[in-house]
Amino acid sequence: MQYDETHQNKFDRIAELLNAFMGNKFDNYIELQNFVENHIGTVSKELDDKFQEVDKNEDVDKWNTEMSKLEDELGYEGFKFDYEFTNRIRFSSIIQTYSMLEVYLKWLCERLRKINHNPFGIADLKGNSDLEKGKLYLKRVYNLDFSKLEPEWSFLNDMKKIRNQIIHNNGEFQTKDKEIVRIIEKIELLGRMWDDIEPGMKPNKNYEIKIVSKELNTKFINYVRTFFAKVLSEINTV
């Protein structure tokens, strides 16, 4: 497509705004995630220190009495801060990042529609998600080759499936959910809760997705940024 200088200026402005919006929002997400996880880590260490202190007791009877009392008082607190809270916060981070991916993709497609005066927009297309509608729009208007958007595009789709499993199934899955199992095996920062205690999976039993590290959401955010950078670059050369 051949565009005049005014059109190019508008496109450059769209790219500038998109990068600014994403930069501020995603930087805030990472800061919030680090803040919450640091607090959880601090409380978890405080609880662990209490158990470690009791564990130093060499008197077996006293050790049993104090450890039993501590387990009754703080055992569940330790579970919450070591496992439950951490995983749920990471679930929330993945949901937020995916939400913003779709928000920014719709925003970009709508701004492009306006400067190109297209008779249809992303809302007029059929698809299972806004991510899929965005792909249809960009392919139809710009004939975008999505193979040039790899590996980001495949990763974003995998994270969409993880996000859907979190939202619609509380992050639980079974062996029959083969696509989820595939993604967990593929992405190193994903796993299964308690796989160290119960190795192997049994049919018809629910397991919970485990996000091994907060770095998964950081990677997700970086892939979203790179995806949009590639999209804008490809559009600008059409």
Side-chain angles (χ1 to χ4, degrees):
M1 300 180 184
Q2 296 296 321
Y3 297 119
D4 58 25
E5 185 176 354
T6 300
H7 183 282
Q8 185 63 48
N9 289 340
K10 290 179 179 178
F11 177 83
D12 292 343
R13 180 58 176 162
I14 288 173
E16 180 184 351
L17 287 172
L18 178 62
N19 288 326
F21 293 157
M22 283 196 302
N24 290 334
K25 187 65 70 174
F26 284 145
D27 286 348
N28 289 343
Y29 278 178
I30 292 174
E31 183 178 352
L32 174 61
Q33 176 180 278
N34 290 338
F35 174 81
V36 173
E37 291 223 14
N38 286 341
H39 176 67
I40 291 173
T42 298
V43 176
S44 179
K45 186 178 184 307
E46 290 173 354
L47 292 171
D48 188 58
D49 286 346
K50 292 180 180 180
F51 280 93
Q52 292 293 333
E53 189 61 31
V54 172
D55 206 36
K56 294 177 183 178
N57 200 321
E58 296 181 359
D59 184 316
V60 176
D61 290 336
K62 191 173 183 180
W63 182 93
N64 284 331
T65 300
E66 293 186 3
M67 187 61 74
S68 178
K69 181 180 179 181
L70 200 60
E71 285 282 0
D72 289 341
E73 292 178 353
L74 300 177
Y76 186 60
E77 291 299 300
F79 164 76
K80 288 193 298 185
F81 282 93
D82 286 344
Y83 299 99
E84 183 75 9
F85 287 0
T86 301
N87 212 43
R88 291 291 152 175
I89 286 298
R90 292 170 184 172
F91 277 3
S92 298
S93 296
I94 296 303
I95 292 169
Q96 287 180 321
T97 299
Y98 182 80
S99 175
M100 295 317 300
L101 163 62
E102 288 200 331
V103 165
Y104 291 134
L105 185 57
K106 287 189 292 184
W107 182 90
L108 175 61
C109 290
E110 181 59 20
R111 294 307 179 280
L112 292 173
R113 181 192 69 79
K114 288 181 178 180
I115 66 171
N116 292 327
H117 306 294
N118 297 128
F120 65 91
I122 186 174
D124 301 311
L125 300 175
K126 293 182 179 180
N128 293 325
S129 66
D130 287 327
L131 191 64
E132 185 64 26
K133 291 179 183 179
K135 177 182 179 179
L136 292 173
Y137 180 83
L138 294 171
K139 284 179 70 71
R140 184 173 297 185
V141 175
Y142 297 100
N143 196 29
L144 218 59
D145 181 0
F146 270 69
S147 68
K148 294 181 178 180
L149 305 180
E150 294 292 351
E152 290 77 19
W153 179 248
S154 292
F155 183 81
L156 299 185
N157 276 277
D158 283 345
M159 294 307 296
K160 177 187 75 173
K161 293 168 186 174
I162 293 296
R163 172 261 189 192
N164 288 346
Q165 199 72 17
I166 292 170
I167 288 180
H168 301 300
N169 294 284
N170 197 33
E172 294 182 352
F173 68 102
Q174 297 184 354
T175 55
K176 65 182 180 180
D177 300 312
K178 298 192 181 300
E179 189 64 7
I180 298 300
V181 174
R182 178 193 69 79
I183 295 169
I184 290 174
E185 291 176 347
K186 174 184 175 184
I187 299 176
E188 291 183 357
L189 295 171
L190 285 172
R192 173 172 60 83
M193 290 291 282
W194 315 118
D195 61 351
D196 54 336
I197 298 174
E198 185 183 359
M201 294 178 62
K202 299 176 181 178
N204 302 317
K205 182 174 181 178
N206 286 354
Y207 296 93
E208 182 177 320
I209 295 169
K210 178 182 180 180
I211 300 180
V212 177
S213 167
K214 66 182 180 181
E215 294 307 314
L216 177 62
N217 192 50
T218 302
K219 179 179 180 179
F220 190 9
I221 287 172
N222 288 337
Y223 268 56
V224 170
R225 285 170 161 159
T226 304
F227 166 74
F228 278 110
K230 285 185 175 182
V231 167
L232 292 170
S233 176
E234 289 299 315
I235 290 175
N236 207 27
T237 57
V238 171

